[in-house]
Amino acid sequence: MKSRAAIGNHPVHPALVSLPIGAFFLVLVGDIAHARTDADFWYAFSFVCLGAGILMALVAAIAGFVDYFGVRMSDAGFRAARIHMVLNLTGVVLYTINWFLRRGNGALHTPRWNLVFGLEVVTFLALGVSGWLGGRVAFEHKVGVVENADPEATEIGRLETSRKVKRGARPGPRVRPR
């Protein structure tokens, strides 16, 4: 189920999502710093990071849409991908609302600050859930994965799966001597 938005065998979407995640994390850092210090710098810092995160999230979403609509996946993988997509799109909408509420210092030293700060925290937590689901889409449902590109890794995966089925439990980490 190789990604349709890839450079070589590497899917672009997982590479791009680190940019908005980092920007949104910096928004949270800036908001916490502003809440603790009341310094205007941190408010402005968060505002700029929020705008950059929104733009980068939209770019990452394009690659995600290409895979969502172009890659054949299992029913379970498709459900997880759909929830991941809906959470991300909802997050971008909430971040955009947050950006508009902050625009022109609209929440600086006003009662609106509590709303934008709370909205940031809730949206960032939802982003974490969405990222976890995105990992499941790739690692458990193999969306964007080039199957059998490494025959040794494929065989190890088969052995691990057969051990898991025989034991009825998840296999632990295995260290292979060199």
Side-chain angles (χ1 to χ4, degrees):
M1 295 184 287
K2 180 181 177 189
S3 172
R4 302 263 182 188
I7 297 173
N9 284 336
H10 195 286
V12 174
H13 179 70
L16 289 175
V17 297
S18 62
L19 299 171
I21 291 169
F24 295 140
F25 174 74
L26 290 175
V27 174
L28 183 62
V29 168
D31 281 355
I32 291 169
H34 176 70
R36 300 219 23 160
T37 66
D38 205 31
D40 293 1
F41 167 80
W42 291 112
Y43 180 89
F45 175 84
S46 290
F47 181 74
V48 170
C49 291
L50 189 55
I54 293 165
L55 292 175
M56 290 183 280
L58 293 173
V59 171
I62 292 169
F65 286 143
V66 169
D67 284 344
Y68 181 77
F69 292 109
V71 173
R72 186 171 170 243
M73 55 185 96
S74 68
D75 289 340
F78 187 73
R79 279 191 304 276
R82 183 175 53 244
I83 294 167
H84 171 72
M85 178 183 68
V86 168
L87 277 174
N88 280 335
L89 292 175
T90 302
V92 170
V93 167
L94 292 175
Y95 276 129
T96 303
I97 290 167
N98 198 326
W99 186 85
F100 276 107
L101 290 170
R102 295 171 188 246
R103 194 175 56 151
N105 293 333
L108 182 63
H109 308 299
T110 70
R112 187 185 286 181
W113 165 251
N114 292 329
L115 172 64
V116 298
F117 183 63
L119 190 57
E120 158 58 21
V121 171
V122 168
T123 309
F124 190 78
L125 291 173
L127 179 67
V129 171
S130 179
W132 175 76
L133 277 171
R136 286 191 63 203
V137 169
F139 297 117
E140 292 179 27
H141 301 291
K142 309 293 188 202
V143 175
V145 173
V146 179
E147 292 290 338
N148 306 318
D150 179 345
E152 182 183 9
T154 301
E155 185 58 28
I156 291 169
R158 284 190 187 119
L159 288 172
E160 292 293 325
T161 300
S162 68
R163 285 186 190 139
K164 180 180 169 185
V165 169
K166 286 179 186 175
R167 287 190 289 182
R170 293 189 93 116
R174 185 174 74 117
V175 178
R176 191 175 115 200
R178 292 267 171 195

